[in-house]
Amino acid sequence: MPTANPRPFNFSAGPATLPEPVLRQAAEEMLDWHGCGMGVMEMSHRGKEFISIHEQAVATLRELLAVPSNFHVLFMQGGGLGENAIVPMNLAGPQPGGLVDVVVTGSWSKKSLAEAQRYADARAAASNDADGRSAIPAPGTWQLREGAAYVHVCSNETIDGLEMAELPDLAALGCRSPLVADCSSHILSRTIDWSRAGVVFAGAQKNIGPAGLTLVFVRDDLLGRALPICPSAFDYSVVAAHGSMFNTPPTYAIYVAGLVFEWVKAQGGVAEMDRRAAEKSALLYNYLDDCGGFYRNRVALTARSRMNVPFFLHNESLNDAFLAGAREAGLLQLKGHKSVGGMRASLYNAMPLAGVQALVGYMKDFARRHG
Ligand SMILES: *Cc1c(COP(=O)(O)O)cnc(C)c1O
């Protein structure tokens, strides 16, 4: 492949930027994977070539996140919103109407609550709606019900830019229900404390790879409770029993995700991603806090996401000029989510420090010219 000019930095919240070496390898292997005469998209998912790709991806993912043996790793479809229904259909049984407690910390957990209400007696255990979604309600204030089928949290709110510093310790709160965590937008940026988790899920298109693949980690003892209405292809027990091959899995997305897992490992693993996330996000937040009010981020210091940084120009009439100039400077997809407005910079694993340096440099220059 000819070497192109440096690619622009892409701050999309998802589908999002991928490591360039991964894209190059996928391009090289597009027509012929490892000399087998077929591209990955063209292979049977039951052939030995794809089975080796699949097994390698699962093994590397398990290694990266130190997934204990009592957790199944499932490669599913349906995305984060699909899991909002798939989780209650799997965990809120065996009778309909089980109790589900959802900690509402932003747009995604709010959607999870609404969807769970279709299958279960789901309620908000806490909500930060009233404070403008600027902080995460302290776990000690959560109204958790005895006997709930599970407690749902979104540990990184992609739209609002809030992140839990760690998964909550439900046992320490006197709650015996399993924890379900939507980690879609920060998976692989830090370790997961599996002793606190029952189910962890994540759409791939933020920090892992192409859209179409959903990662689900489910603890052994939570299998076998699905409601009768749960489609077989979404029943964790069925998917686990078939090694994620009950139906055709999203083969190409799994292949690219596998390349990303190898890339993360070669960079130094999740510990290194964690270190980089701290460094990159600190660079941007420090500038936002020190810029004298031209820009600002509204999230409480303790709840700020290291992955998704929403920010606002003091003078919002400059928004279009800011975005147009950014595009020209090779800084793409900085427009904020329509429900929040302003700007949002997503700093996933594949975003290099140089990208954040370029962004801050552009922001300084823009503020100087328009201040
Ligand atoms: C993007 C996202 C989702 C939704 O994913 P879809 O694949 O569009 O269903 C759910 N939760 C979180 C935290 C997300 O970032």
mmCIF file of all heavy atoms in Angstrom, residues 13-14 78-84 108 112 154 156-159 182-185 201 203-206 211 214 308 348, ligand 1:
data_model
loop_
_atom_site.group_PDB
_atom_site.id
_atom_site.type_symbol
_atom_site.label_atom_id
_atom_site.label_comp_id
_atom_site.label_asym_id
_atom_site.label_seq_id
_atom_site.Cartn_x
_atom_site.Cartn_y
_atom_site.Cartn_z
ATOM 1 N N ALA A 13 -17.437 9.813 18.523
ATOM 2 C CA ALA A 13 -17.832 9.031 19.700
ATOM 3 C C ALA A 13 -18.167 7.592 19.328
ATOM 4 O O ALA A 13 -18.263 6.728 20.190
ATOM 5 C CB ALA A 13 -19.031 9.685 20.373
ATOM 6 N N GLY A 14 -18.389 7.321 18.072
ATOM 7 C CA GLY A 14 -18.626 5.943 17.650
ATOM 8 C C GLY A 14 -19.654 5.877 16.538
ATOM 9 O O GLY A 14 -20.636 6.594 16.593
ATOM 10 N N GLY A 78 -26.480 -6.895 18.039
ATOM 11 C CA GLY A 78 -27.580 -6.140 18.636
ATOM 12 C C GLY A 78 -27.128 -4.873 19.338
ATOM 13 O O GLY A 78 -27.948 -4.020 19.661
ATOM 14 N N GLY A 79 -25.832 -4.729 19.593
ATOM 15 C CA GLY A 79 -25.305 -3.492 20.160
ATOM 16 C C GLY A 79 -25.735 -3.254 21.601
ATOM 17 O O GLY A 79 -26.395 -4.095 22.229
ATOM 18 N N GLY A 80 -25.369 -2.086 22.091
ATOM 19 C CA GLY A 80 -25.706 -1.724 23.465
ATOM 20 C C GLY A 80 -27.210 -1.643 23.665
ATOM 21 O O GLY A 80 -27.744 -2.121 24.674
ATOM 22 N N LEU A 81 -27.899 -1.068 22.693
ATOM 23 C CA LEU A 81 -29.353 -0.950 22.838
ATOM 24 C C LEU A 81 -30.006 -2.321 22.788
ATOM 25 O O LEU A 81 -30.994 -2.578 23.475
ATOM 26 C CB LEU A 81 -29.929 -0.034 21.759
ATOM 27 C CG LEU A 81 -29.561 1.441 21.903
ATOM 28 C CD1 LEU A 81 -30.216 2.276 20.816
ATOM 29 C CD2 LEU A 81 -29.978 1.970 23.263
ATOM 30 N N GLY A 82 -29.474 -3.213 21.976
ATOM 31 C CA GLY A 82 -29.969 -4.590 21.975
ATOM 32 C C GLY A 82 -29.814 -5.214 23.358
ATOM 33 O O GLY A 82 -30.737 -5.849 23.885
ATOM 34 N N GLU A 83 -28.666 -5.003 23.982
ATOM 35 C CA GLU A 83 -28.434 -5.577 25.321
ATOM 36 C C GLU A 83 -29.401 -5.003 26.352
ATOM 37 O O GLU A 83 -29.709 -5.668 27.348
ATOM 38 C CB GLU A 83 -26.985 -5.357 25.769
ATOM 39 C CG GLU A 83 -25.973 -6.238 25.052
ATOM 40 C CD GLU A 83 -26.254 -7.736 25.194
ATOM 41 O OE1 GLU A 83 -26.605 -8.205 26.297
ATOM 42 O OE2 GLU A 83 -26.127 -8.440 24.172
ATOM 43 N N ASN A 84 -29.872 -3.783 26.124
ATOM 44 C CA ASN A 84 -30.844 -3.214 27.065
ATOM 45 C C ASN A 84 -32.087 -4.095 27.176
ATOM 46 O O ASN A 84 -32.754 -4.106 28.216
ATOM 47 C CB ASN A 84 -31.251 -1.806 26.633
ATOM 48 C CG ASN A 84 -30.197 -0.782 27.005
ATOM 49 O OD1 ASN A 84 -29.271 -1.071 27.748
ATOM 50 N ND2 ASN A 84 -30.345 0.417 26.474
ATOM 51 N N TRP A 108 -27.518 7.079 28.390
ATOM 52 C CA TRP A 108 -27.534 5.640 28.087
ATOM 53 C C TRP A 108 -28.207 4.837 29.181
ATOM 54 O O TRP A 108 -29.002 3.943 28.906
ATOM 55 C CB TRP A 108 -26.123 5.130 27.793
ATOM 56 C CG TRP A 108 -25.633 5.608 26.453
ATOM 57 C CD1 TRP A 108 -24.575 6.441 26.228
ATOM 58 C CD2 TRP A 108 -26.212 5.330 25.168
ATOM 59 N NE1 TRP A 108 -24.457 6.684 24.875
ATOM 60 C CE2 TRP A 108 -25.440 6.021 24.206
ATOM 61 C CE3 TRP A 108 -27.300 4.566 24.739
ATOM 62 C CZ2 TRP A 108 -25.723 5.970 22.829
ATOM 63 C CZ3 TRP A 108 -27.589 4.521 23.376
ATOM 64 C CH2 TRP A 108 -26.794 5.214 22.445
ATOM 65 N N SER A 112 -31.555 2.437 29.116
ATOM 66 C CA SER A 112 -31.557 1.073 29.655
ATOM 67 C C SER A 112 -32.748 0.879 30.580
ATOM 68 O O SER A 112 -33.396 -0.165 30.567
ATOM 69 C CB SER A 112 -30.256 0.796 30.419
ATOM 70 O OG SER A 112 -29.148 0.982 29.574
ATOM 71 N N CYS A 154 -24.268 2.256 33.952
ATOM 72 C CA CYS A 154 -23.472 2.561 32.758
ATOM 73 C C CYS A 154 -22.200 3.209 33.285
ATOM 74 O O CYS A 154 -22.246 4.328 33.799
ATOM 75 C CB CYS A 154 -24.217 3.512 31.826
ATOM 76 S SG CYS A 154 -23.212 4.005 30.410
ATOM 77 N N ASN A 156 -19.561 4.303 31.838
ATOM 78 C CA ASN A 156 -19.089 5.499 31.115
ATOM 79 C C ASN A 156 -20.224 6.012 30.239
ATOM 80 O O ASN A 156 -20.620 5.334 29.290
ATOM 81 C CB ASN A 156 -17.850 5.200 30.270
ATOM 82 C CG ASN A 156 -17.254 6.471 29.670
ATOM 83 O OD1 ASN A 156 -16.761 7.338 30.395
ATOM 84 N ND2 ASN A 156 -17.324 6.611 28.364
ATOM 85 N N GLU A 157 -20.715 7.188 30.584
ATOM 86 C CA GLU A 157 -21.818 7.790 29.831
ATOM 87 C C GLU A 157 -21.230 8.582 28.660
ATOM 88 O O GLU A 157 -20.787 9.723 28.814
ATOM 89 C CB GLU A 157 -22.668 8.691 30.742
ATOM 90 C CG GLU A 157 -23.504 7.920 31.766
ATOM 91 C CD GLU A 157 -24.788 7.342 31.157
ATOM 92 O OE1 GLU A 157 -25.009 7.488 29.941
ATOM 93 O OE2 GLU A 157 -25.581 6.738 31.926
ATOM 94 N N THR A 158 -21.314 7.973 27.503
ATOM 95 C CA THR A 158 -20.675 8.469 26.286
ATOM 96 C C THR A 158 -21.157 9.858 25.875
ATOM 97 O O THR A 158 -20.394 10.660 25.339
ATOM 98 C CB THR A 158 -20.983 7.476 25.147
ATOM 99 O OG1 THR A 158 -20.937 6.157 25.682
ATOM 100 C CG2 THR A 158 -20.029 7.606 23.994
ATOM 101 N N ILE A 159 -22.432 10.113 26.076
ATOM 102 C CA ILE A 159 -23.024 11.374 25.610
ATOM 103 C C ILE A 159 -22.777 12.494 26.610
ATOM 104 O O ILE A 159 -22.395 13.612 26.248
ATOM 105 C CB ILE A 159 -24.542 11.176 25.350
ATOM 106 C CG1 ILE A 159 -24.719 10.249 24.132
ATOM 107 C CG2 ILE A 159 -25.249 12.526 25.152
ATOM 108 C CD1 ILE A 159 -26.160 9.863 23.831
ATOM 109 N N ASP A 182 -22.823 -1.554 31.643
ATOM 110 C CA ASP A 182 -22.661 -1.182 30.244
ATOM 111 C C ASP A 182 -21.333 -0.435 30.133
ATOM 112 O O ASP A 182 -21.219 0.708 30.567
ATOM 113 C CB ASP A 182 -23.834 -0.294 29.806
ATOM 114 C CG ASP A 182 -23.701 0.219 28.372
ATOM 115 O OD1 ASP A 182 -22.672 -0.052 27.726
ATOM 116 O OD2 ASP A 182 -24.650 0.884 27.910
ATOM 117 N N CYS A 183 -20.345 -1.132 29.589
ATOM 118 C CA CYS A 183 -18.987 -0.565 29.476
ATOM 119 C C CYS A 183 -18.651 -0.234 28.032
ATOM 120 O O CYS A 183 -17.474 -0.184 27.652
ATOM 121 C CB CYS A 183 -17.960 -1.564 30.009
ATOM 122 S SG CYS A 183 -18.096 -1.902 31.761
ATOM 123 N N SER A 184 -19.701 -0.003 27.221
ATOM 124 C CA SER A 184 -19.512 0.153 25.775
ATOM 125 C C SER A 184 -18.397 1.114 25.397
ATOM 126 O O SER A 184 -17.642 0.860 24.473
ATOM 127 C CB SER A 184 -20.808 0.654 25.126
ATOM 128 O OG SER A 184 -21.803 -0.339 25.169
ATOM 129 N N SER A 185 -18.333 2.238 26.101
ATOM 130 C CA SER A 185 -17.445 3.285 25.602
ATOM 131 C C SER A 185 -16.153 3.430 26.400
ATOM 132 O O SER A 185 -15.410 4.388 26.158
ATOM 133 C CB SER A 185 -18.199 4.615 25.535
ATOM 134 O OG SER A 185 -18.872 4.862 26.743
ATOM 135 N N PHE A 201 -21.266 -5.712 29.414
ATOM 136 C CA PHE A 201 -21.419 -5.746 27.961
ATOM 137 C C PHE A 201 -20.858 -4.478 27.330
ATOM 138 O O PHE A 201 -20.704 -3.450 28.009
ATOM 139 C CB PHE A 201 -22.878 -5.989 27.540
ATOM 140 C CG PHE A 201 -23.845 -4.864 27.820
ATOM 141 C CD1 PHE A 201 -23.946 -3.776 26.956
ATOM 142 C CD2 PHE A 201 -24.678 -4.908 28.939
ATOM 143 C CE1 PHE A 201 -24.851 -2.751 27.201
ATOM 144 C CE2 PHE A 201 -25.581 -3.882 29.193
ATOM 145 C CZ PHE A 201 -25.669 -2.801 28.324
ATOM 146 N N GLY A 203 -20.783 -2.632 23.211
ATOM 147 C CA GLY A 203 -20.758 -2.574 21.753
ATOM 148 C C GLY A 203 -19.321 -2.342 21.319
ATOM 149 O O GLY A 203 -18.570 -1.655 22.000
ATOM 150 N N ALA A 204 -18.942 -2.911 20.183
ATOM 151 C CA ALA A 204 -17.537 -2.841 19.779
ATOM 152 C C ALA A 204 -17.138 -1.505 19.177
ATOM 153 O O ALA A 204 -15.961 -1.157 19.156
ATOM 154 C CB ALA A 204 -17.235 -3.947 18.773
ATOM 155 N N GLN A 205 -18.101 -0.727 18.710
ATOM 156 C CA GLN A 205 -17.761 0.374 17.794
ATOM 157 C C GLN A 205 -17.188 1.609 18.454
ATOM 158 O O GLN A 205 -16.955 2.611 17.783
ATOM 159 C CB GLN A 205 -18.980 0.742 16.945
ATOM 160 C CG GLN A 205 -20.081 1.504 17.662
ATOM 161 C CD GLN A 205 -21.105 0.604 18.328
ATOM 162 O OE1 GLN A 205 -20.817 -0.535 18.652
ATOM 163 N NE2 GLN A 205 -22.308 1.103 18.536
ATOM 164 N N LYS A 206 -16.978 1.573 19.769
ATOM 165 C CA LYS A 206 -16.360 2.719 20.427
ATOM 166 C C LYS A 206 -14.858 2.466 20.584
ATOM 167 O O LYS A 206 -14.055 3.198 20.044
ATOM 168 C CB LYS A 206 -17.005 2.972 21.795
ATOM 169 C CG LYS A 206 -18.540 2.978 21.786
ATOM 170 C CD LYS A 206 -19.138 4.174 21.082
ATOM 171 C CE LYS A 206 -20.626 4.054 20.790
ATOM 172 N NZ LYS A 206 -21.521 3.826 21.894
ATOM 173 N N ALA A 211 -18.680 -1.619 14.061
ATOM 174 C CA ALA A 211 -20.032 -1.836 14.573
ATOM 175 C C ALA A 211 -20.503 -3.226 14.149
ATOM 176 O O ALA A 211 -20.053 -3.780 13.149
ATOM 177 C CB ALA A 211 -20.967 -0.769 14.012
ATOM 178 N N THR A 214 -21.029 -7.190 19.550
ATOM 179 C CA THR A 214 -21.244 -6.813 20.945
ATOM 180 C C THR A 214 -20.531 -7.827 21.825
ATOM 181 O O THR A 214 -20.730 -9.034 21.652
ATOM 182 C CB THR A 214 -22.736 -6.823 21.307
ATOM 183 O OG1 THR A 214 -23.474 -6.208 20.264
ATOM 184 C CG2 THR A 214 -22.991 -6.103 22.613
ATOM 185 N N ASN A 308 -14.740 10.426 26.813
ATOM 186 C CA ASN A 308 -15.613 11.337 26.076
ATOM 187 C C ASN A 308 -15.657 12.661 26.827
ATOM 188 O O ASN A 308 -16.101 12.711 27.971
ATOM 189 C CB ASN A 308 -17.028 10.754 25.961
ATOM 190 C CG ASN A 308 -17.019 9.317 25.469
ATOM 191 O OD1 ASN A 308 -17.124 8.383 26.279
ATOM 192 N ND2 ASN A 308 -16.867 9.118 24.176
ATOM 193 N N TYR A 348 -10.577 7.714 22.586
ATOM 194 C CA TYR A 348 -10.479 6.264 22.767
ATOM 195 C C TYR A 348 -9.034 5.794 22.632
ATOM 196 O O TYR A 348 -8.141 6.560 22.271
ATOM 197 C CB TYR A 348 -11.382 5.562 21.748
ATOM 198 C CG TYR A 348 -12.852 5.869 21.929
ATOM 199 C CD1 TYR A 348 -13.615 6.359 20.880
ATOM 200 C CD2 TYR A 348 -13.480 5.669 23.168
ATOM 201 C CE1 TYR A 348 -14.975 6.632 21.038
ATOM 202 C CE2 TYR A 348 -14.822 5.948 23.339
ATOM 203 C CZ TYR A 348 -15.573 6.431 22.277
ATOM 204 O OH TYR A 348 -16.895 6.710 22.446
HETATM 205 C C1 LIG B 1 -23.048 3.672 21.916
HETATM 206 C C2 LIG B 1 -23.570 3.189 23.224
HETATM 207 C C3 LIG B 1 -24.716 2.368 23.305
HETATM 208 C C4 LIG B 1 -25.553 2.012 22.107
HETATM 209 O O1 LIG B 1 -24.935 1.204 21.215
HETATM 210 P P1 LIG B 1 -25.711 0.724 19.898
HETATM 211 O O2 LIG B 1 -24.688 -0.182 19.308
HETATM 212 O O3 LIG B 1 -26.005 1.920 19.070
HETATM 213 O O4 LIG B 1 -26.920 0.003 20.322
HETATM 214 C C5 LIG B 1 -25.114 1.938 24.547
HETATM 215 N N1 LIG B 1 -24.443 2.283 25.660
HETATM 216 C C6 LIG B 1 -23.358 3.078 25.626
HETATM 217 C C7 LIG B 1 -22.668 3.442 26.889
HETATM 218 C C8 LIG B 1 -22.891 3.552 24.408
HETATM 219 O O5 LIG B 1 -21.807 4.344 24.370
#
